[in-house]
Amino acid sequence: MPIHGAAKCFRWKDTSLWFRAATIDQYGSWRKQLTTLRLRPWLPIECGVLDDRRTCTASICGKSQTKPVMARFLKVLVSASEKSANIARACRYEEDLFQLLIQEKKGDEMNKRFIQDFKTLADVLIQETVRHDIGKEFPEIAAYIKGEESNTFTNTLGESITVEVKDCPGETSSMLCKVLDGNENAANLLAAEVHKEIRLEEDFSRLSDFPSLPISELGIWIDPIDSTAEYISGGCVQASECSSSPSSIHQSGLPCVTVLIGAFHRKTGVPVVGVVNRPFSSEDSSTGVWSGKYYWGVCYGDYRMSSIACEMQDEEEQAQGGMRMVELSVEGSGAAAEGKNSRGVVVISGSESSVLRARLSTRYTVVEAPGAGHKQLCVALGEADAYLLTRPTTYRWDACGPHALLSALGGGVVDCRKVMNAAADSSPLPPSHLLDCPGLKEALPSMLDLELRFGLRYGDEDEGEPEEGTSESGSAKWCNKGGIIAYRSPRFLLQLVGTIRQPAGAVTSPV
């Protein structure tokens, strides 16, 4: 039986906060705990373990005593993503400029999934802008900021130019002018966006009590423009517009484009901070001008915080007239499976086999959509319950940022092949009901902690050995060779794997 909890927050004259938590254990009995916290009443509620039973513990989603380093680090990443979104939009608005920027990727830079892939100056410029802005604020990790794109660009005259952000707009414009075959107007426009100061309204001081983790131990993965093909083609199509599906997932067009920035712990390879920016989130029907939206997540150890959770709680507080009631479920199914679609929603790529699609369709609503970052964001937002990819067509930069965001929401991103082959291991997948047993996950992490067992890792030491008889160069060594499954609910992940694997022989090895 799922474990639920409820909590009410009240403000007192002396600014103390009385936090009353009531939890239901697996037998349905109430246990009550009264705690006094000297915090403001902007508190998300997390499920933790106390005295061998599930209880609600206060986390942070508001002003409190902060450790400013992580708050500043997140602010820099979000600012870099917003500047990247500005550049992406600027390149789309100037049609002549956009056509000039398209360049075909060649050799080991080409993603094998596409017959023809493209590299744009927007890709390279965004990547180098992110690298510059983060490296400037945190020089201790400048050497560990990596991206999808090579920072060399060849103009129509055949000149090879290294794209990098200079000290001032004039110098950056001069460099870009060479790339753009002397187009000074376009170069000045882009240089202005690169050097523009970003002002964020969000107060990141809400990141308090973050565990001790030196920024110097982190690395960065950047995907400057994920879903390049949609960025070039433009448009906007939702699933509900082209099928009978009630899904709100965009199946093509600019809303599928994302900027992905992920920070990981270099020693463990575990994702820590993720920013997913959707530059073309909504369009003004009267002007045709697009605006964007960003999402962030921070996850380290038992610490969880995300903009998505905070936004939901802020809306809930407003609906309650300033008093918040937060209901928890250990099961944690996404919104797609709760009310919106009782069958659950699984989003996939167009490359998946008809056999797999048929198997999934027996239990779920299956939606096809482009962009690894877009599909993972759909899971984080609750528009889908899982993103399944069985082929080796994503890379570290595709998953690091979204992975941290999903982890902050209680989910994650696992290696598809590893989790599918777990039945052959000495420690197979656990029955989903064991996830509800109080304290059992902490007691048996090697069995029940799915992220620990199958989660993707992003450090250099995690790249693994090339397959026998092959050599890897370029982007191939950063490939997620086993495919991936992104999820918000561990229970749904186990259910999805069980659906694919049963009955035996219905679906061949996913990779």
Side-chain angles (χ1 to χ4, degrees):
M1 174 179 178
I3 305 169
H4 294 75
K8 290 184 178 179
C9 297
F10 304 87
R11 184 194 292 271
W12 294 81
K13 292 181 180 179
D14 63 355
T15 72
S16 295
L17 173 68
W18 286 89
F19 173 72
R20 188 174 180 81
T23 64
I24 307 175
D25 63 17
Q26 65 269 35
Y27 304 107
S29 63
W30 284 87
R31 303 173 187 263
K32 298 183 178 180
Q33 179 184 2
L34 190 63
T35 308
T36 301
L37 302 173
R38 299 196 64 85
L39 297 173
R40 296 184 183 276
W42 304 0
L43 301 174
I45 312 303
E46 293 181 348
C47 217
V49 177
L50 181 65
D51 298 332
D52 296 325
R53 62 181 182 270
R54 290 282 177 176
T55 187
C56 292
T57 58
S59 181
I60 41 79
C61 185
K63 293 184 178 180
S64 180
Q65 300 298 317
T66 71
K67 295 184 178 180
V69 176
M70 182 51 66
R72 176 170 158 251
F73 182 70
L74 176 59
K75 183 176 181 179
V76 169
L77 264 61
V78 171
S79 297
S81 80
E82 282 289 86
K83 185 178 291 187
S84 301
N86 287 343
I87 296 172
R89 286 189 292 266
C91 290
R92 282 290 313 183
Y93 292 152
E94 297 290 336
E95 184 64 26
D96 293 340
L97 172 62
F98 184 70
Q99 293 299 324
L100 179 65
L101 300 183
I102 298 173
Q103 181 187 36
E104 184 178 351
K105 288 183 180 179
K106 299 179 180 179
D108 59 11
E109 293 181 5
M110 184 179 294
N111 186 330
K112 294 178 181 179
R113 179 177 153 196
F114 298 98
I115 297 175
Q116 189 176 40
D117 201 353
F118 296 94
K119 178 169 70 177
T120 66
L121 177 58
D123 271 314
V124 181
L125 189 58
I126 287 173
Q127 177 179 285
E128 295 310 304
T129 298
V130 174
R131 191 195 306 272
H132 171 270
D133 287 5
I134 298 176
K136 182 180 179 180
E137 293 292 329
F138 299 96
E140 63 269 32
I141 63 171
Y144 304 102
I145 303 174
K146 303 177 182 180
E148 176 184 9
E149 306 293 345
S150 164
N151 67 335
T152 59
F153 195 92
T154 304
N155 63 13
T156 57
L157 299 178
E159 298 174 324
S160 183
I161 302 163
T162 299
V163 177
E164 56 186 354
V165 177
K166 304 294 185 180
D167 294 333
C168 67
E171 293 180 1
T172 300
S173 178
S174 296
M175 178 271 298
L176 290 172
C177 197
K178 296 179 182 179
V179 178
L180 297 169
D181 301 331
N183 190 331
E184 293 185 8
N185 183 54
N188 288 335
L189 174 65
L190 290 174
E193 293 292 344
V194 169
H195 290 273
K196 180 183 292 184
E197 182 181 357
I198 301 296
R199 296 185 180 276
L200 300 173
E201 297 181 359
E202 185 170 6
D203 181 9
F204 292 95
S205 63
R206 65 179 63 194
L207 268 77
S208 63
D209 300 331
F210 187 83
S212 177
L213 178 64
I215 301 299
S216 60
E217 296 182 6
L218 301 180
I220 303 284
W221 279 112
I222 310 164
D223 190 347
I225 295 183
D226 187 60
S227 197
T228 309
E230 302 304 315
Y231 178 61
I232 293 171
S233 62
C236 177
V237 176
Q238 287 184 303
S240 57
E241 298 177 19
C242 57
S243 70
S244 59
S245 169
S247 174
S248 61
I249 297 172
H250 288 280
Q251 291 193 278
S252 69
L254 292 173
C256 301
V257 176
T258 53
V259 176
L260 311 175
I261 304 175
F264 63 95
H265 189 229
R266 296 202 309 275
K267 183 176 181 180
T268 64
V270 173
V272 177
V273 182
V275 178
V276 179
N277 196 307
R278 182 180 273 170
F280 306 94
S281 181
S282 60
E283 183 182 19
D284 188 317
S285 58
S286 60
T287 63
V289 175
W290 287 89
S291 60
K293 187 171 184 178
Y294 65 79
Y295 307 87
W296 56 262
V298 180
C299 176
Y300 186 68
D302 294 329
Y303 185 96
R304 302 284 188 276
M305 175 61 61
S306 77
S307 60
I308 295 175
C310 289
E311 184 175 310
M312 292 173 61
Q313 289 154 4
D314 287 342
E315 293 175 354
E316 205 166 309
E317 183 180 48
Q318 292 176 4
Q320 295 291 333
M323 181 181 295
R324 176 179 305 153
M325 175 72 75
V326 181
E327 185 171 322
L328 301 175
S329 173
V330 174
E331 184 172 348
S333 298
E338 293 182 354
K340 290 185 179 180
N341 192 320
S342 60
R343 283 170 54 85
V345 177
V346 177
V347 62
I348 63 172
S349 301
S351 61
E352 297 298 348
S353 69
S354 58
V355 175
L356 179 61
R357 290 168 186 260
R359 188 67 207 148
L360 292 173
S361 297
T362 62
R363 190 165 189 175
Y364 309 114
T365 297
V366 179
V367 179
E368 181 182 323
H374 168 58
K375 290 191 282 284
Q376 290 171 95
L377 179 59
C378 288
V379 177
L381 293 174
E383 297 171 352
D385 294 287
Y387 160 41
L388 172 65
L389 177 69
T390 63
R391 301 177 185 276
T393 52
T394 63
Y395 299 81
R396 302 274 175 87
W397 50 79
D398 291 310
C400 187
H403 191 165
L405 175 58
L406 284 162
S407 293
L409 294 166
V413 181
V414 296
D415 184 299
C416 179
R417 177 163 54 191
K418 288 182 179 179
V419 75
M420 292 295 293
N421 292 339
D425 296 341
S426 57
S427 180
L429 291 177
S432 61
H433 69 271
L434 290 183
L435 297 176
D436 290 345
C437 296
L440 193 58
K441 179 179 177 180
E442 289 74 12
L444 300 172
S446 62
M447 177 182 181
L448 296 180
D449 194 328
L450 303 179
E451 272 290 297
L452 179 65
R453 293 178 62 186
F454 310 113
L456 297 186
R457 296 295 178 261
Y458 300 91
D460 291 347
E461 65 275 14
D462 301 307
E463 62 186 69
E465 296 295 328
E467 294 182 7
E468 187 175 353
T470 67
S471 60
E472 293 183 342
S473 61
S475 61
K477 66 180 179 179
W478 307 118
C479 180
N480 300 317
K481 303 178 186 67
I484 66 174
I485 304 178
Y487 65 98
R488 272 189 65 164
S489 164
R491 287 177 63 92
F492 190 88
L493 171 63
L494 293 177
Q495 181 192 92
L496 175 63
V497 172
T499 300
I500 297 173
R501 290 168 53 190
Q502 299 297 328
V507 179
T508 58
S509 175
V511 181

